[in-house]
Amino acid sequence: MDSAISEQRQTLSSTADNGLKIVVVGGFGVGKTTLVRSVSEIRPLNTEETMSQAGEGIDDTGGVAAKTATTVAFDFGRISLDARNVLYLFGAPGQERFWFLWDRLFSGTLGAVVLVDTRRIADSWYAVDRLEHHGTPFVVACNDFGGPAHTAAEIRDALDLPDEVPLVFCDARSRESSKQVLITLVEHLQQVVAAAGR
């Protein structure tokens, strides 16, 4: 293992007593596993399996035909915020046949990141709909796959996003970029709590 990566991996502090949960959702192949992997301080747990013929005709691989593995349960990562507070990240599977898991993953969640591939914006509709249904605060992060450029206004319009939902652009492969997505979510959660207290 690369020494720079191994130095990032940390054991959980014995003083950590406050777990905070965030879920990363989005369509099939948008980079949820990659985001959790890039930002986690531990070696993330993932349930990726090789895609097989059993999924042919069930999973829509349009736009991600080169994808060879897929999440079949969830991804899990961790970030220690300070001596007491720990952020737990759960990446949900994107295929429609696993959507029944999402409602359970949303239980106890502070907020969520909806990861979007702008080449396939419609694949993110379900994630936005479920989070709105649950009343879970969320941000939208557009992962850069080098597809056609869309303005923030075009993406907001395509997803029918309210103005108060933050929209950011990111590269899920980059630790720094993924951290900025999570910071945006935390700032949004603070605004939601402040608005509710008025």
Side-chain angles (χ1 to χ4, degrees), residues 128 132 138 140 155-157 159-167 188:
V128 171
E132 289 178 341
F138 65 95
V140 172
I155 295 166
R156 280 189 176 284
D157 188 50
L159 292 174
D160 197 22
L161 285 182
D163 290 340
E164 64 270 13
V165 174
L167 173 68
H188 178 57

Side-chain angles (χ1 to χ4, degrees), residues 110-150:
L110 285 178
V113 172
V114 176
L115 205 55
V116 174
D117 177 349
T118 57
R119 300 170 302 173
R120 300 175 291 123
I121 295 174
D123 290 358
S124 300
W125 262 103
Y126 185 76
V128 171
D129 178 67
R130 293 315 302 158
L131 291 166
E132 289 178 341
H133 172 78
H134 281 274
T136 304
F138 65 95
V139 299
V140 172
C142 298
N143 194 11
D144 182 12
F145 282 92
H150 295 284

Side-chain angles (χ1 to χ4, degrees), residues 6 8 13 17 22 40 67 77 93 96 108-109 127 131 143 145 167 170 188 191:
S6 63
Q8 294 174 14
S13 168
D17 61 0
I22 295 208
S40 178
K67 190 167 172 58
E96 185 175 350
T109 299
L131 291 166
N143 194 11
F145 282 92
L167 173 68
C170 72
H188 178 57
Q191 292 171 356

Side-chain angles (χ1 to χ4, degrees), residues 1-11 36-44 173 175:
M1 179 182 291
D2 181 83
S3 62
I5 293 173
S6 63
E7 288 172 14
Q8 294 174 14
R9 310 301 184 199
Q10 302 174 9
T11 58
V36 171
R37 186 179 293 148
S38 74
V39 79
S40 178
E41 69 188 15
I42 61 171
R43 182 187 312 252
R173 299 167 299 181
R175 180 176 179 81

Side-chain angles (χ1 to χ4, degrees), residues 12 16-24 42 75-81 85-91 109 111:
L12 185 60
D17 61 0
N18 188 30
L20 309 166
K21 180 179 175 185
I22 295 208
V23 177
V24 182
I42 61 171
D75 302 307
F76 173 78
R78 185 189 79 207
I79 303 170
S80 295
L81 301 175
N85 297 292
V86 180
L87 183 66
Y88 295 112
L89 297 169
F90 290 83
T109 299

